[in-house]
Every structure is written in C-alpha cells, then in structure tokens.
C-alpha cells in the first residue's frame, strides 16, 4: 500500500530533538529522509546519555527512525558542490541550526531558490522575529519563554517545567504540519516557500487556555475554577493552578490505595456536572445531590477541595485501576496516573503501534514510540535509525556520481 508522502524527498540538516522529531514524522508517512551528518561525529545525540559504550544512544535512535544517513563536509568546496546537487534532488530542506547558519554556509534563501525554485526550506528557531530572535533556545528555555512554566506547579512553589517535551517535540510537530501545507500549496503555485516554527510560538500555542485565562482574569479579577478561589488571592497574571483541569469541568489528582509506597498510585478525577448524582452515590454522599451547597456547579466551586477530599477518602480504599473501573461504570471521567514502566508494558499500546520494539544492529532490541497519528490508507512501519553515514554511497549514486568519484570524495575526507 502506498504511503501518504511517498515520492517526497527531505534533506534533513536537523539535530538533537526538535528537527529530528519533525523529519521522523515525515519519514513515518513515507517521505525519503536523507539525514546529513558530519563524518566521524554525526548528530550530537548519537553519543549523549549513552547506556551502552560506543553504541548510538536511545536519544538518537528514538528520534531518527526510517531515515537514511550520509556524511558530508559542507565547509569543503567539493562538499558544497555535492550539497548543491542534493538541493536540486530534494523537495524540502529542514534545519534547526543557529540563526543565520545557512546564510554563512553560502546557502541563502535566494541561492537555494536559484538551485531549486520548488525547494521548501523549513526551520526551527527558538524565537520568531523580535528582540530575542538571535538567542539560543533549549527545551526548558522554550517552556519558560512560552508561558508554560509560569502557569505550572502549585501556587506556593516556584514555576515548574513539564516532562513532556512541548518545546522541542511540540515544535517539531508544528513544523511538520507547516511542511505538509507548503507541499500541498506547491501543487498550485509550483513554487517553494519558507516555513518557520519558533519554539516560543509553539509552546504558547499549546498554552492557549492560559492566554484565555489571562484575559478573563484581567476582566473579572478572579477565576472561580482555580484552587485559589475563594480563600486565596489573585494577582495580575495567571497563577499556577496545581492540578486544576484548566477547563470548565473541575478536576484534581487524588490518592489511591498504596499511595504511601507507590509514587504513581493516584487518579485524575473530574467532577463533571452531568454525572454529579452518580459521583455522590459512588462515594457515599447521596445527600449532596439535593443539598443547595452542592447541587449546582456554581454552588460547588467554593467547595471543590472539600469535594475532592471526599472523593479521595473513597479512592484510597481502591487501587487506581479499581477506582477507574467503578467510575467508568457510571460514565464518570477519570484517568490513572501511569508510569513509564506501566506504559512500556501496556499490551494495547504495543498492539496499536504506539509503542514499538525495534531491532538495531549494535544496540539489539529497544522500545520506542511509534507514529502517534494513524492513517487508514498509510500504515506506518517503524524501521531502525541509520548508522552514521550508512547510506552515503547509495545516495551519491542516486545523484549520478560514479564509484570513482565517490572514492575520491572519501579520499579527500569530504564524506
């Protein structure tokens, strides 16, 4: 069966996480991703956080599935000539260099357009145009600059970053969508274009509900679904909200049986208004159904922590899975706090391809995430990440270089 992006060639100049997330997703959908790396070194993540000496790290392998790797010295005059051929050969160039790096290499937008007018140049940057556009950005910097950290954590503690890689991988997902849109538009215009995904912008997009709350707070000076209400104080900026849901249905994380020794024996529970009667019956508080202090969502808002405490009193007698099973019998929304250990062992995630086991020639078998997006007519087969320069000869032959020319490049240490 043909895949969605069959026939699309990606020239991948990305490294670490944000760019490789983008190009891996495109590769999963069938694009031919040619990863360009420095001879003898490669992507820095090949050696970062290694768990096996002299073997590509999990950091690298889990971000570079389904790609081909070539080595090329782009600072060398001959190497630049090969790169020019690659630009003419491919549809999209993806990079997450420091600002201006491509220009300094001699490959400005204008030069790339001369070589291939249909070429799409897609970039991940830390910041968009503005006072910080030349600043270097990493995951946690993006979370802080994009508004996530200031609104994460508890009100009596410092800002917190999240373990979810919303700065790097989140921006890579945004960039992938931009690339697909540019490819689609090219069908009608015949032209390439530039695509930019700034990490600050991507994080802010994922924090849009907090921008919503900033405007509500500025207007009303209080937000009744936040845990600060009614006894706490609100300042001029959106505060940290603990485990509040961020939506119109109040939620909180509550303890379950075994919480004293298991750091993940917790459940996320939502007091959804349509099932309030069922909630009261399950936790043994039937009197709350008609009590004017609890009967309506508005009346419950100043008493949310008391309500969550009553729910927790019941859940502490159940494991998180037992509590979830009982709540779901009554359509009461909740979810267990699942550890990475539990997720890795979950059979349904293996069956759906969300978690895959991959065989690597030097590492052996390892687990990775699979394609999170499922298309009925474009199934994803996750293949291993490439060894450094594994496909150099193969790709150069596709460019029309003969064996003698390739040997000469190798002798000159261009590849």
């Amino acid at each position: 069966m043909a895949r969605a992006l069959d026939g699309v060639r990606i020239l991948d100049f990305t490294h670490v996480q944000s760019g490789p997330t983008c190009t891996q997703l495109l590769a999963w959908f069938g694009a031919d991703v040619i990863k360009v790396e420095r001879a003898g070194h490669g992507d820095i993540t090949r050696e970062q956080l290694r768990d096996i000496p002299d073997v590509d790290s999990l950091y690298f392998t889990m971000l570079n599935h389904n790609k081909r790797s070539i080595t090329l010295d782009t600072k060398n005059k001959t190497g630049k000539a090969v790169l020019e051929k690659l630009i003419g050969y491919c549809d999209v160039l993806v990079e997450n260099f420091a600002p201006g790096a491509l220009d300094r290499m001699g490959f400005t937008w204008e030069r790339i357009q001369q070589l291939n007018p249909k070429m799409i140049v897609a970039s991940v940057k830390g910041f968009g145009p503005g006072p910080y556009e030349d600043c270097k950005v990493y995951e946690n910097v993006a979370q802080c600059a994009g508004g996530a950290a200031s609104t994460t954590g508890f009100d009596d503690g410092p800002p917190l970053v999240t373990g979810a890689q919303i700065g790097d991988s989140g921006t890579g997902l945004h960039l992938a969508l931009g690339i697909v849109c540019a490819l689609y538009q090219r069908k009608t215009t015949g032209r390439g274009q530039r695509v930019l995904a700034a990490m600050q912008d991507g994080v802010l997009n994922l924090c849009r509900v907090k921008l919503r709350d900033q405007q509500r707070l500025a207007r009303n000076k209080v937000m009744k679904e936040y845990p600060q209400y009614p006894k706490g104080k609100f300042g001029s900026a959106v505060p940290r909200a603990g485990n509040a849901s961020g939506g119109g249905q109040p939620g909180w994380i509550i303890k379950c049986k075994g919480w004293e020794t298991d750091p993940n024996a917790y459940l996320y529970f939502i007091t959804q208004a349509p099932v309030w009667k069922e909630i009261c019956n399950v936790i043994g508080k039937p009197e709350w159904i008609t009590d004017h202090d609890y009967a309506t969502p508005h009346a419950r808002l100043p008493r949310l922590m008391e309500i969550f405490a009553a729910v927790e009193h019941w859940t502490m007698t159940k494991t998180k899975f037992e509590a979830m099973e009982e709540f779901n019998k009554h359509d009461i929304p909740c979810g267990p706090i699942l550890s990475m250990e539990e997720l890795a062992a979950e059979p349904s995630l293996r069956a759906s391809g969300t978690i895959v086991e991959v065989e690597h020639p030097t590492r052996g078998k390892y687990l990775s995430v699979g394609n999170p997006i499922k298309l009925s007519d474009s199934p994803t087969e996750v293949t291993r990440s490439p060894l450094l320069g594994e496909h150099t000869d193969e790709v150069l032959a596709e460019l029309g270089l003969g064996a003698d020319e390739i040997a000469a490049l190798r002798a000159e240490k261009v590849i």
Side-chain angles (χ1 to χ4, degrees):
M1 185 180 291
R3 295 175 297 173
L5 295 179
D6 276 347
V8 174
R9 294 193 188 98
I10 309 291
L11 187 55
D12 183 2
F13 268 102
T14 69
H15 54 284
V16 191
Q17 185 178 165
S18 57
T21 296
C22 167
T23 53
Q24 178 172 260
L25 191 63
L26 299 174
W28 279 339
F29 286 123
D32 177 14
V33 176
I34 302 170
K35 185 177 179 73
V36 182
E37 303 185 74
R38 286 192 304 152
H41 298 279
D43 189 322
I44 186 64
T45 57
R46 285 186 183 270
E47 62 186 49
Q48 283 186 337
L49 303 176
R50 276 180 171 151
D51 57 318
I52 303 174
D54 302 320
V55 170
D56 287 340
S57 72
L58 288 166
Y59 196 6
F60 177 85
T61 61
M62 293 175 69
L63 284 162
N64 290 282
H65 293 123
N66 296 58
K67 303 178 185 181
R68 297 196 286 173
S69 169
I70 69 169
T71 54
L72 184 65
D73 181 359
T74 57
K75 295 180 180 179
N76 179 289
K77 181 179 179 180
T78 309
K80 288 182 187 295
V82 174
L83 179 53
E84 289 180 352
K85 288 180 179 289
L86 282 166
I87 289 173
Y89 183 63
C90 294
D91 299 284
V92 184
L93 187 156
V94 188
E95 60 91 14
N96 59 342
F97 292 131
L102 266 184
D103 292 356
R104 291 190 293 274
M105 288 169 58
F107 290 92
T108 62
W109 167 247
E110 292 75 21
R111 177 59 179 149
I112 291 171
Q113 286 287 282
Q114 289 175 353
L115 295 168
N116 183 354
K118 292 186 176 182
M119 172 66 77
I120 293 161
V121 177
S123 304
V124 170
K125 298 301 175 200
F127 296 94
Y132 308 116
E133 61 184 309
D134 293 329
C135 296
K136 185 178 288 187
V137 173
Y138 291 93
E139 169 65 45
N140 290 347
V141 174
Q143 288 193 31
C144 294
S150 74
T151 57
T152 302
F154 289 88
D155 195 40
D156 58 354
L160 290 177
V161 296
T162 172
Q165 303 294 281
I166 61 175
D168 276 324
S169 287
T171 305
L173 291 169
H174 284 93
L175 187 66
L177 175 60
I179 289 169
V180 171
C181 289
L183 285 167
Y184 185 82
Q185 188 173 15
R186 194 178 69 175
K187 289 179 177 291
T188 56
T189 66
R191 300 194 310 272
Q193 62 181 297
R194 284 174 286 186
V195 181
L196 171 66
M199 293 172 71
Q200 181 186 45
D201 299 0
V203 171
L204 181 56
N205 183 47
L206 297 175
C207 293
R208 66 179 64 193
V209 297
K210 299 301 182 179
L211 184 60
R212 171 203 68 189
D213 289 349
Q214 180 62 47
Q215 295 169 86
R216 294 172 56 231
L217 179 63
R219 183 179 299 275
N220 299 322
K221 312 305 178 187
V222 66
M223 293 181 290
K224 295 182 178 180
E225 79 284 2
Y226 272 59
Q228 286 81 356
Y229 177 81
K231 298 178 181 179
K233 294 182 179 180
F234 287 89
S236 60
V238 173
R240 291 181 273 287
N243 289 314
S245 68
Q249 306 292 339
W252 203 253
I253 289 178
I254 53 181
K255 298 172 184 173
C256 292
K257 186 177 181 180
W259 67 273
E260 300 92 338
T261 56
D262 181 355
N264 295 298
Y266 290 82
L267 187 82
Y268 198 90
F269 179 83
I270 297 174
T271 58
Q272 189 179 39
V275 290
W276 175 244
K277 177 181 177 181
E278 288 79 4
I279 292 171
C280 294
N281 286 328
V282 168
I283 67 172
K285 292 284 188 179
E287 66 275 14
W288 281 358
I289 297 172
T290 55
D291 188 323
H292 71 276
D293 285 340
Y294 299 92
T296 67
H298 182 75
R300 290 193 290 273
L301 283 174
R303 299 170 177 83
L304 284 176
M305 299 317 292
E306 177 189 349
I307 292 167
F308 291 132
V311 176
E312 186 174 71
H313 182 75
W314 181 84
T315 59
M316 286 171 65
T317 67
K318 311 284 184 183
T319 69
K320 60 189 177 186
F321 298 110
E322 291 170 342
M324 184 180 181
E325 182 179 4
E326 183 62 31
F327 283 140
N328 274 276
K329 289 178 183 177
H330 307 279
D331 290 328
I332 299 169
C334 64
I337 307 305
L338 295 178
S339 68
M340 285 297 149
E341 182 180 29
E342 290 169 313
L343 290 167
E346 173 54 48
S348 65
L349 295 178
R350 302 285 188 100
S352 68
T354 299
I355 290 182
V356 295
E357 188 174 74
V358 182
E359 183 76 45
H360 190 275
T362 57
R363 164 170 290 282
K365 291 182 178 179
Y366 67 94
L367 291 184
S368 186
V369 293
N371 193 342
I373 304 167
K374 276 70 172 178
L375 300 185
S376 62
D377 287 353
S378 184
T380 298
E381 178 188 1
V382 176
T383 60
R384 67 168 175 85
S385 60
L387 301 177
L388 179 60
E390 181 176 354
H391 304 95
T392 301
D393 290 12
E394 178 180 287
V395 172
L396 294 182
E398 292 172 11
L399 295 177
L401 276 70
D404 291 344
E405 292 174 287
I406 295 172
L409 290 173
R410 183 162 282 110
E412 196 180 338
K413 296 184 179 180
V414 173
I415 57 175

